[in-house]
Amino acid sequence: MSEPLLVCRQLEKRFDRLAAVRDLDLEVWEGEILAVLGPSGCGKTTLLRLIAGLERPDRGTIRLRGRLLAGDGAWVPPERRRIGLVFQDYALFPHLTVGENVAFGVPKGVDKAERVRELLELVGLSGLERRMPHELSGGQQQRVALARTLAADPELVLLDEPFSNLDASLRAKVREDVLRILRAANATAIIVTHDQEEALSLSGRVAVMMGGRIVQIGPAEEVYRRPATRAVAEFVGEANFLPITGLRNGTVECELGPLPVEPPPGGRFDVMVRPEDIELGSVGVPVKVVETTYFGHDQLVTVELPSGQRLKVRTMRAEHLRPGSERRARVAREPLLVPEE
Amino acid sequence: MRAPGAALGVRVSPATAAALAAAALVAGAAALPALYLVIRALQHASEVGETLGRTRAAESTLRTILLAGGVAGTATLIAVPLAWLLARTDLRLRSLWTVLLALPLAIPSYVGALAVVAAFGPRGTLQGWLEPVGVERLPEIYGFPGAWLVLTIHTYPFVLLPVRAALGSIDRSVEEAARSLGASAAATFFRVTLPQLRPAIAAGFLLSALYTLSDFGAVSILRYDALSRDIYVQYSAVFDRHAAASLALLLVFVALVTVSAEAVTRGRARYHVTAPRGRVRRLRLGRGQVVAQLYCLLLASIALLLPIGVLSDWLLRGLDGGIDWGAVREAGTNSVLAAAFGAGVTTLAALPVAYLAVRHPGPVSATLERLALSGYALPGIAVALALVFFAANYLPWLYQTLGLLVLGYAVRFLPQALGPCRASLLQVNPKTEEAARGLGAGPLRVFWRITLPQLLPGVSAGAALVFLTAMEELPATLLLSPIGYETLAVQVWAEAQAAFYSQAALPALILILISALPTYLITKGAPAPA
């Protein structure tokens, strides 16, 4: 493949000596939709603002299509970067109509009215040109913000927690809409979120950011199935960790029995098992049910191993497991080793 | 039978009925001046047109509008860049300038006018300095130039304060969005920031214009024939009561048009006024720092240094030549007495109106509150004149007593007292009163032991504000006080007209000190960008 669209190298940004972003490397390819996932305060919004040109990095470089935007003495102001940012609170211009908002960034030489019509159609808001922003619902404002950004014909679209201001019931629908619109516009996008389900469901690559760094980047299923660290494993989903008790040719021993995992090359590791990978039934290690939370489509069960360690198990069984009842547990899918911490 | 006040939509207790009666009385008193001017004009309808023609009212109105427009325009041109410097740049000594440059508000317009004539007038300081050099005459300061200068200096803070606050509260991400959509910093300011400031600028502009229309002190000392000066001349020199009343009604009309203009300028846009998010990034002024500092310094020199310097100079001369200390002491006592009574009565009058508005919101209480607030927009000279005529005709026992002056203050300053009363009442949880009732206390005991103690801090702050404002009130004091009852404000005004500057300097400086306090508090209270 050719050059990536965006390249960040050794990026660093400090606020009052506290590093919000440090030693960060990132590559984004043309046409992809990258999710940046991280807990609040991990520096993901700062990363977006650095890329957009709203903050100056203290160290490192940012390049778009090979052009140096920041670092090494270069500085391109935000208005000349062709990078669009969709703000968490949308930041629509309160004094302009929907149409005027969308027209704001339309490049010179382009028919404004035509472009506005085109984009409002794309986001499904045709006919609302003359409304004022406060007369729209949250989901509509979101789409106006997106249309406004796309109208400026950016090379890269950044979305900062785009769904966090919406009701939970609306979120899935708006998420689908946004993805559809971004794909229809052939946009390259970075979407920042703190919601792991959201990041995984965007179905592109996921970059997990912690402590100002990107700790793992890869396809959603890889990040979920093979987290690089224990912290990533815990952040992207629920996880059980079991100490290794022994190694035998091709298998790793732990309290849930021998498991078919390549032994680690060195260092100290734990076995990680996702709750949905444990099966409760008549085969395996005896466990006692401690607590259950019933969701209808499935239930989350806490069980206790003979050693006293507790495991979380997600099971689709219709039978409601009562606390105190006894079952046997076995690992139904390939587990993984993650570094002990 | 419907209970009294059933229109409030609740079963009305005796206490509420009493509050309703009191509030209606207060609202009636507040609405009285404007109403009386209208009724009077209707009674003498045939003469009004003729009177207005004879007094050349059209010309005075034009002059009034010209001055108001000129002052408000200049004030806006001065204040908007200043607000930007204070809110958005790394201007040095920001906090000092923020306080200092709001202080001109604290110099009553007639004191400013006194300072200007004492400095640049025919017998003023500058003339005294230049005479040995052979300068016989200075350019004329009386008329438009003087009135424009004094009122611009006095009213630019009306624009500065709301615009600075608005700049601090604009959502920064909206500006950042404009930048990332390709607008430069300057284009962002003009296309995104400035339009969002429009309501604040319009409000400040109109407040400045309204203040100028209503001003009596500066235009009378500087002899600019605006409506307010005409009214007083017709009343006190020509003794033409019809003419004075007709002109007053005209002035009220002009003021009301100005007030209603604000609603029109607001338009459809709704503005995000939240706490600003994100860190405030201040523009580095670089070499512009010097220019900005000079700008602030120049403004402070004209607005503060000049009046205080000139007045101090004349005070020192007066100390050599002899000041009538007795007169100043008497005027001071009179001022304090009238202002204290005024503050007390105004606050008591505000309480029932605020009580109804907070506890029984509805069309009736809203109407009463609006009526009580109506005095705010009315020029003081018109209110005072209406009350004089009304009292002379219908309340002879009140005419020429301190009581009439106190009533005038109450009508004028009711809006100032209403705000704090309302705010304090909102903070009293009605459940504490209900709890006290449940514990066996009667309504009076509940008010005395539970409600009043919780109200007191806020309400007394409101009363203090009214007291300080009443101290410096000129037109109502001039028209409504009993003959021979001279206050500090009247003294300054009279001595300034007689060009007896050394005698005017002391009461003028006292008044500046007195009004600096609430201005300082207002400045502190305005949300300041961190």
Side-chain angles (χ1 to χ4, degrees):
Chain A
M1 226 195 271
S2 57
E3 283 267 288
L5 178 70
L6 177 82
V7 179
C8 298
R9 287 276 171 261
Q10 296 181 313
L11 216 49
E12 180 163 313
K13 177 68 189 175
R14 297 170 171 277
F15 295 118
D16 303 327
R17 292 212 213 113
L18 209 88
V21 167
R22 52 183 172 165
D23 200 21
L24 183 141
D25 288 313
L26 177 66
E27 291 171 1
V28 180
W29 298 86
E30 182 124 35
E32 82 165 314
I33 292 173
L34 173 77
V36 173
L37 170 69
S40 59
C42 74
K44 52 197 193 300
T45 296
T46 304
L47 172 63
L48 282 199
R49 295 174 60 85
L50 284 168
I51 297 171
L54 298 172
E55 304 282 355
R56 281 169 194 260
D58 295 319
R59 222 161 59 85
T61 58
I62 303 170
R63 282 171 200 276
L64 187 74
R65 244 186 244 297
R67 176 169 75 126
L68 192 58
L69 297 182
D72 282 349
W75 175 250
V76 177
E79 66 268 23
R80 292 213 295 273
R81 291 195 173 192
R82 301 197 54 206
I83 294 177
L85 175 54
V86 179
F87 288 80
Q88 186 173 5
D89 59 358
Y90 318 139
L92 296 177
F93 304 131
H95 61 295
L96 301 181
T97 63
V98 167
E100 289 164 343
N101 262 282
V102 177
F104 189 93
V106 174
K108 288 205 174 70
V110 177
D111 181 356
K112 281 198 183 185
E114 177 55 35
R115 186 90 176 118
V116 169
R117 205 163 30 245
E118 197 179 292
L119 275 149
L120 286 180
E121 199 186 313
L122 176 68
V123 301
L125 290 178
S126 299
L128 297 187
E129 275 102 323
R130 285 159 181 241
R131 295 277 189 90
M132 297 304 283
H134 67 263
E135 295 166 339
L136 303 181
S137 71
Q140 289 173 324
Q141 291 185 11
Q142 159 82 272
R143 282 183 280 162
V144 174
L146 191 56
R148 181 179 71 176
T149 300
L150 293 173
D153 198 19
E155 303 231 43
L156 173 65
V157 179
L158 311 173
L159 297 100
D160 188 7
E161 300 270 4
F163 313 113
S164 64
N165 277 346
L166 299 170
D167 283 348
S169 55
L170 264 176
R171 221 171 281 168
K173 162 93 174 70
V174 174
R175 192 160 65 210
E176 277 170 36
D177 287 347
V178 166
L179 276 180
R180 181 184 54 75
I181 293 164
L182 287 172
R183 293 207 177 102
N186 274 325
T188 311
I190 302 180
I191 300 182
V192 150
T193 174
H194 66 269
D195 182 329
Q196 81 278 2
E197 271 183 38
E198 193 166 287
L200 298 175
S201 69
L202 292 171
S203 65
R205 284 200 305 159
V206 175
V208 183
M209 195 166 168
M210 282 173 170
R213 286 195 180 92
I214 287 176
V215 287
Q216 187 173 7
I217 185 165
E221 60 277 15
E222 188 182 304
V223 168
Y224 186 76
R225 299 299 319 168
R226 282 194 287 282
T229 69
R230 190 174 173 130
V232 172
E234 284 178 315
F235 191 70
V236 298
E238 288 159 322
N240 296 301
F241 299 98
L242 291 153
I244 293 173
T245 52
L247 297 171
R248 214 182 312 159
N249 44 359
T251 62
V252 166
E253 295 261 3
C254 69
E255 213 183 342
L256 283 170
L259 300 171
V261 190
E262 273 298 299
R268 301 166 67 86
F269 286 81
D270 277 333
V271 175
M272 184 206 69
V273 190
R274 294 279 183 206
E276 66 272 21
D277 293 347
I278 300 177
E279 208 175 75
L280 292 179
S282 48
V283 197
V285 186
V287 293
K288 198 164 78 192
V289 174
V290 181
E291 202 184 333
T292 59
T293 313
Y294 188 69
F295 292 108
H297 49 75
D298 65 356
Q299 49 187 323
L300 187 64
V301 187
T302 307
V303 299
E304 198 172 278
L305 290 166
S307 69
Q309 190 185 349
R310 293 183 171 189
L311 298 178
K312 290 199 158 154
V313 181
R314 205 170 262 282
T315 168
M316 301 229 248
R317 293 165 63 118
E319 165 204 18
H320 190 171
L321 293 163
R322 303 281 163 197
S325 59
E326 309 219 328
R327 290 288 183 283
R328 283 175 178 274
R330 72 177 190 96
V331 177
R333 248 199 289 179
E334 185 190 343
L336 183 86
L337 299 183
V338 293
E340 201 180 275
E341 270 169 28
Chain B
M1 198 192 89
R2 276 160 72 93
L8 289 168
V10 285
R11 289 232 316 275
V12 170
S13 69
T16 309
L20 187 62
L25 191 69
V26 170
L32 179 72
L35 211 61
Y36 178 67
L37 287 178
V38 172
I39 291 171
R40 198 187 153 104
L42 290 176
Q43 280 171 350
H44 306 276
S46 55
E47 294 159 50
V48 170
E50 183 267 329
T51 315
L52 291 179
R54 178 158 42 82
T55 53
R56 302 202 180 151
E59 285 168 42
S60 310
T61 309
L62 207 63
R63 271 194 294 271
T64 304
I65 294 170
L66 193 70
L67 183 67
V71 165
T74 321
T76 304
L77 288 180
I78 291 175
V80 173
L82 185 61
W84 180 78
L85 282 177
L86 293 174
R88 288 295 178 82
T89 69
D90 66 339
L91 181 80
R92 300 277 176 82
L93 305 171
R94 258 198 321 274
S95 36
L96 177 72
W97 288 131
T98 303
V99 172
L100 273 188
L101 292 175
L103 274 183
L105 207 55
I107 301 181
S109 71
Y110 55 90
V111 171
L114 163 70
V116 163
V117 291
F120 306 117
R123 287 170 54 196
T125 308
L126 191 62
Q127 180 70 53
W129 288 348
L130 294 179
E131 226 154 44
V133 206
V135 179
E136 301 274 308
R137 270 181 73 88
L138 285 168
E140 183 71 33
I141 191 70
Y142 285 101
F144 186 88
W148 170 77
L149 176 69
V150 167
L151 287 166
T152 300
I153 290 301
H154 181 64
T155 63
Y156 80 81
F158 286 136
V159 187
L160 175 67
L161 295 177
V163 174
R164 185 177 63 102
L167 272 171
S169 66
I170 287 178
D171 192 344
R172 302 300 299 251
S173 61
V174 172
E175 292 169 357
E176 291 172 350
R179 293 297 299 277
S180 71
L181 290 168
S184 67
T188 301
F189 180 79
F190 284 105
R191 290 178 63 193
V192 174
T193 312
L194 203 56
Q196 291 192 77
L197 291 179
R198 201 182 57 181
I201 293 175
F205 180 94
L206 288 167
L207 210 55
S208 164
L210 187 65
Y211 189 94
T212 307
L213 292 174
S214 311
D215 178 69
F216 167 73
V219 294
S220 64
I221 290 175
L222 288 159
R223 298 180 208 152
Y224 182 70
D225 282 321
L227 277 173
S228 58
R229 180 167 192 246
D230 276 5
I231 293 169
Y232 188 72
V233 169
Q234 292 295 337
Y235 168 73
S236 69
V238 186
F239 300 108
D240 185 342
R241 299 193 148 201
H242 289 319
S246 307
L247 289 171
L249 185 61
L250 186 60
L251 182 59
V252 167
F253 177 74
V254 175
L256 289 180
V257 168
T258 311
V259 171
S260 42
E262 202 220 330
V264 178
T265 60
R266 210 170 276 162
R268 261 171 87 214
R270 189 160 307 158
Y271 296 88
H272 206 77
V273 186
T274 53
R277 276 204 272 184
R279 300 167 323 112
V280 176
R281 197 169 324 100
R282 293 182 176 277
L283 188 88
R284 265 174 249 145
L285 285 172
R287 283 186 202 160
Q289 185 75 242
V290 179
V291 182
Q293 291 293 335
L294 284 177
Y295 182 59
C296 294
L297 196 63
L298 180 72
L299 209 52
S301 310
I302 299 174
L304 293 174
L305 215 57
L306 172 84
I308 292 171
V310 170
L311 291 174
S312 306
D313 173 46
W314 280 101
L315 178 62
L316 291 176
R317 295 198 213 180
L319 289 178
D320 289 343
I323 289 179
D324 186 351
W325 292 101
V328 177
R329 197 178 316 121
E330 198 196 321
T333 316
N334 285 345
S335 280
V336 170
L337 206 66
F341 272 122
V345 170
T346 309
T347 310
L348 285 180
L351 272 174
V353 181
Y355 173 81
L356 283 182
V358 170
R359 291 293 169 82
H360 300 285
V364 174
S365 51
T367 308
L368 290 178
E369 194 185 15
R370 215 165 296 143
L371 282 177
L373 286 171
S374 65
Y376 183 65
L378 299 182
I381 187 96
V383 170
L385 195 77
L387 283 176
V388 166
F389 291 163
F390 185 80
N393 285 339
Y394 303 106
L395 307 170
W397 48 273
L398 199 59
Y399 189 60
Q400 284 297 329
T401 65
L402 192 57
L404 186 60
L405 179 58
V406 169
L407 176 64
Y409 284 165
V411 171
R412 285 276 278 141
F413 303 131
L414 201 55
Q416 270 188 16
L418 261 177
C421 283
R422 213 174 190 290
S424 330
L425 264 168
L426 277 172
Q427 282 173 355
V428 179
N429 183 350
K431 295 221 167 59
T432 60
E433 292 166 4
E434 287 164 7
R437 293 297 290 275
L439 295 170
L444 274 180
R445 201 167 119 83
V446 167
F447 180 77
W448 192 247
R449 293 283 310 279
I450 308 296
T451 317
L452 194 62
Q454 295 185 72
L455 283 180
L456 221 48
V459 169
S460 42
L465 193 63
V466 173
F467 174 80
L468 295 168
T469 321
M471 284 290 285
E472 57 176 79
E473 212 287 340
L474 178 65
T477 316
L478 199 59
L479 263 65
L480 296 177
S481 45
I483 290 169
Y485 192 87
E486 192 161 275
T487 65
L488 291 173
V490 172
Q491 200 174 41
V492 170
W493 179 79
E495 306 288 10
Q497 293 211 312
F500 197 4
Y501 307 137
S502 55
Q503 185 66 27
L506 182 58
L509 285 169
I510 294 173
L511 285 170
I512 293 182
L513 271 182
I514 285 173
S515 51
L517 187 62
T519 309
Y520 177 74
L521 293 177
I522 289 167
T523 321
K524 287 271 127 181

